[in-house]
Amino acid sequence: MAAFSTSMTHCPSSSSSSSAAAFASNSCAINRIHQQIALSSIRLTRKLCLRKPSRAVHVQDGASTMKVSPAKNDGPAKILKDGMLSVPPVILPEESIDIASLDLNKESSTVSITVVGASGDLAKKKIFPALFALYYEGCLPKHFTIFGYARSKMSDAELRTMVSKTLTCRIDQRENCGEKMDQFLERCFYHPGQYDSQENFLELDKKLKEHEDGRVANRLFYLSIPPNIFIDAVKCASTSASSANGWTRVIVEKPFGRDSESSAALTRSLKQYLDEDQIFRIDHYLGKELVENLSVLRFSNLIFEPLWSRQYIRSVQFIFAEDFGTEGRGGYFDNYGIIRDIMQNHLLQMLALFAMETPVSLDAEDIRNEKVKVLRSMRPLRLEDVVTGQYKSHTRGGVKYPAYTDDKTVPNDSLTPTFAAAALFIDNARWDGVPFLMKAGKALHDRRAEIRVQFRHVPGNLYNKNIGTDLDLATNELVIRVQPDEAIYLKINNKVPGLGMRLDRSNLNLLYAARYTKEIPDAYERLLLDAMEGERRLFIRSDELDAAWSLFTPVLKDLEEKKVVPEYYPYGSRGPVGSHYLAARYKVRWGDVGSEQES
Ligand SMILES: NC(=O)C1=CN([C@@H]2O[C@H](COP(=O)(O)OP(=O)(O)OC[C@H]3O[C@@H](n4cnc5c(N)ncnc54)[C@H](OP(=O)(O)O)[C@@H]3O)[C@@H](O)[C@H]2O)C=CC1
Ligand SMILES: O=C1O[C@H](COP(=O)(O)O)[C@@H](O)[C@H](O)[C@H]1O
């Protein structure tokens, strides 16, 4: 099994012999055990087939009961080194395991998390808040230290003040939140330094060692810096601040290059200093709850998988919209554009998960193998299958919204697309001929990220005359709304109650806020925790990255070399009309148009 190492997860052990109490105080452990059991079930089952299966065991956490497979040994229940849950085979069904007996509380090791680029936007907005949320949930190890590293001059106290401004409490768990924030901030420190200075990283190393206090030291570096300084920082971190006796891992933020060549060069440079298994390429969309749920929806429900092919699906749409512009990130954005910023990574990753074949197991490598196969079966995107746009200034309600080129860090004559729509195809037996449409844009009329699965018409539909002439409106559509207001809903035709026979479009609706009371964790929380645990399922492997770039590099080159002028659209609008022509060419319509009232 790929490293499901939970050895770093500290969940305070309870002295109470009551397992219920112990479970209650170990919600983090329980959540992760749930995950591990889910992820490892196939492997365990296979192991059982090799041995004589003995009795199944139930682990209860009050709310739910999960069945886990018995382990070889008769010893106490514990998480094994490889992350597998080992439970005594003699435990009776329905009997619960005392979570306090799980060996989660590693006294002898410590994790140091260094946020490189700690003074920046992402660190403040996402990384520190996610680390605090993990701390609040009891998901960080007992011994941990967080270091901010950047060139800005700051004291520990100043870093804490900066960080404290962005920490928030969970809506559903405010208890002791202020106290926890103070405790968390006490564990945050700052070291100023240059990104290319071995000397400064050696100083950091010295400080880390003081905090690690002789324990097995595991170190996680989060590179929250612009890509042009990735390699300098990796070189210094690996040479001068690697752990001597534990693991050293590096989370790398996108963009991973600008095209196939620069991405390959970046990978080569990273691999001069790190092994592939030390590199965690983050795509935070993979950490989003509904993206994680895609596989569950497909592979644990009988009703979807049989329909998941060209036979029943007419088109699949991946839609990303933001109702604000580049806002201070114009300098970065102008060098990349929306295709590299959103499509080549976030939307393509969702597509790969959506379209992949059933993996052999839920192990990271099995899943990533299937994703790569999808990407490698796709046709590189052609210029005629892309529409680009750029937002222009617009005044509404007396407010003037800026054009993209009003950003001082963007050249006045920039042709960088802030919007793009594209039609992609997977040339394999399952998806031959099905258009996979993507649309992504900034400064549009709303904010959303969703997957829309449009099904084919019902052949010989008995109710055609009740539906009217627009058969397209009567096709079923499954919507996986990633954000905001997470939901999964299925549009169906339904009889309007009454004596007549009138049909309307209704939704079978799973609205998360109505169904689940627990706040949905931010994607960065899940990904940071996974990186600490060595779980690689949600990170991008280098061959996935190569395959992704191969699809987009030719068209990006064409757009740039031919200086294709984007279609201008007003700030706050629905984007270029050209995107509708693109969809129409493949005989489909964008499902999001007029969808505001859907759920
Ligand atoms: N912000 C976001 O929403 C997202 C960001 N990302 C990626 O995450 C990474 C960090 O993003 P973000 O925080 O916005 O970046 P910033 O531009 O805020 O940069 C982070 C820090 O890096 C240092 N820095 C900035 N420019 C330079 C430079 N030219 N040379 C040396 N140091 C520099 C600065 O720290 P100091 O001057 O103190 O050294 C700055 O505070 C980037 O790779 C970005 O693409 C990915 C997804 C979303
Ligand atoms: O990676 C990026 O993502 C954000 C959108 O992330 P979300 O989680 O808020 O949907 C986007 O604004 C940014 O341009 C891009 O670099």
Side-chain angles (χ1 to χ4, degrees), residues 325-346:
T326 48
E327 257 133 80
R329 293 186 72 221
Y332 148 80
F333 192 87
D334 202 60
N335 196 21
Y336 291 90
I338 199 80
I339 297 178
R340 293 183 179 94
D341 192 44
I342 303 292
M343 279 191 173
Q344 182 272 350
N345 35 70
H346 304 329

Side-chain angles (χ1 to χ4, degrees), residues 116-126 149-154 190 193 195 222-230 253-255 282 284 328-329 332 336 341 346 524:
V116 182
S119 55
D121 180 60
L122 186 72
K124 284 186 262 191
K125 225 169 50 186
K126 293 288 185 185
Y149 185 99
R151 297 171 308 177
S152 303
K153 295 274 172 275
M154 245 192 283
Y190 185 74
Y195 301 106
Y222 196 126
L223 297 195
S224 182
I225 44 177
N228 57 318
I229 46 177
F230 280 173
E253 261 295 349
K254 64 177 251 285
I282 205 165
H284 75 280
R329 293 186 72 221
Y332 148 80
Y336 291 90
D341 192 44
H346 304 329
Y524 283 88

Side-chain angles (χ1 to χ4, degrees), residues 140-174:
L140 291 184
K142 181 174 181 191
H143 300 291
F144 78 91
T145 308
I146 296 172
F147 260 87
Y149 185 99
R151 297 171 308 177
S152 303
K153 295 274 172 275
M154 245 192 283
S155 62
D156 292 344
E158 282 164 333
L159 174 90
R160 288 171 188 162
T161 306
M162 181 193 89
V163 169
S164 67
K165 290 184 187 141
T166 62
L167 301 186
T168 52
C169 303
R170 292 257 199 254
I171 294 165
D172 57 343
Q173 289 173 304
R174 293 174 169 274

Side-chain angles (χ1 to χ4, degrees), residues 402-450:
Y404 170 63
T405 47
D406 287 341
D407 186 324
K408 298 225 167 353
T409 55
V410 172
N412 285 337
D413 58 353
S414 171
L415 296 178
T416 300
T418 58
F419 175 98
L424 292 131
F425 293 88
I426 306 172
D427 290 332
N428 67 13
R430 188 188 281 264
W431 297 115
D432 190 12
V434 177
F436 282 77
L437 300 182
M438 282 184 181
K439 187 163 77 162
K442 289 193 176 267
L444 293 172
H445 80 295
D446 69 357
R447 174 176 173 258
R448 69 168 77 201
E450 60 189 19

